[in-house]
Amino acid sequence: FKTGSPEKFAAALHEQLLIWSLPQKEAERSAARQPERISSFPTAGVFIFRHPQPDGLNFVCKGGNNQELHNHNDVGSFSIACGSPQPVVGDLGGTVYTRDTFTNKRYENKLLCSYGHPVPFIDETPQSPGKGTQAKVLKFAENGSQAEVVFDIRKAYCKLKGVKTLERRFCYDFSG
């Protein structure tokens, strides 16, 4: 799977995640193999954790950057689903696209900016759009019963001065 840049990879990954979440026909479901417990895409900063039971808790977290195609200013966000591909916690979902969606007014839409995503607001400041907002994967580890991802998300808040450390840590426990 060769895409060139991390942005192209992230766009291709996003497309695949949308396709994977579409409902399957009953025959396809019974013939499908059990998905991997962990899918990691460190270049794009995306990590997916799946519970072995069909009704278990599934979790996805995203580092990425705020200059990706179809961007939402959501570096360090996550979604949680339980027994369904539809998230119960996380990204608030889609919006009605208008002409303004593709102009400099894009982030006035609360679903497209940090307000529509589970990311920190520091001193009431949302994330900045554009270049230089790349999260860094500081750690990805798993030991069979747990998995952990740590992102440095400081660059997504480049408007804030004096922030020396800003990390987002996610830990998934497969046993419960």
Side-chain angles (χ1 to χ4, degrees):
F1 186 61
K2 195 172 186 180
T3 59
S5 71
E7 288 81 13
K8 287 183 181 176
F9 178 81
L13 176 62
H14 183 257
E15 179 182 320
Q16 288 300 310
L17 289 173
L18 285 174
I19 290 169
W20 292 343
S21 70
L22 294 173
Q24 293 178 313
K25 296 177 188 169
E26 188 59 42
E28 292 172 332
R29 233 180 278 138
S30 62
R33 63 181 175 87
Q34 184 72 8
E36 297 176 13
R37 285 185 347 151
I38 300 173
S39 296
S40 64
F41 307 91
T43 303
V46 175
F47 298 85
I48 303 167
F49 305 100
R50 297 175 192 87
H51 194 275
Q53 300 300 319
D55 60 346
L57 185 103
N58 299 303
F59 177 81
V60 60
C61 58
K62 173 196 172 297
N65 68 73
N66 286 335
Q67 192 173 358
E68 298 164 339
L69 297 173
H70 194 73
N71 183 62
H72 285 202
N73 288 352
D74 59 352
V75 170
S77 67
F78 66 91
S79 289
I80 297 172
C82 189
S84 162
Q86 300 303 318
V88 293
V89 174
D91 190 318
L92 293 178
T95 185
V96 175
Y97 286 89
T98 67
R99 181 184 343 233
D100 289 346
T101 305
F102 304 98
T103 70
N104 60 355
K105 294 182 179 182
R106 177 179 182 83
Y107 299 113
E108 290 177 14
N109 182 319
K110 299 294 188 199
L111 288 177
L112 296 178
C113 68
S114 298
Y115 289 100
H117 300 83
V119 296
F121 276 63
I122 303 164
D123 287 339
E124 299 179 20
T125 304
Q127 293 183 359
S128 300
K131 290 184 180 180
T133 57
Q134 180 74 35
K136 181 177 180 183
V137 179
L138 298 177
K139 178 180 182 181
F140 169 62
E142 63 102 2
N143 64 15
S145 63
Q146 288 188 332
E148 180 182 22
V149 178
V150 181
F151 296 114
D152 175 349
I153 62 171
R154 178 178 28 141
K155 289 183 177 182
Y157 297 87
C158 56
K159 291 180 183 174
L160 295 171
K161 303 299 177 211
V163 177
K164 295 181 181 173
T165 304
L166 182 55
E167 296 176 1
R168 195 105 202 242
R169 177 181 178 260
F170 299 103
C171 187
Y172 185 94
D173 186 336
F174 290 97
S175 66

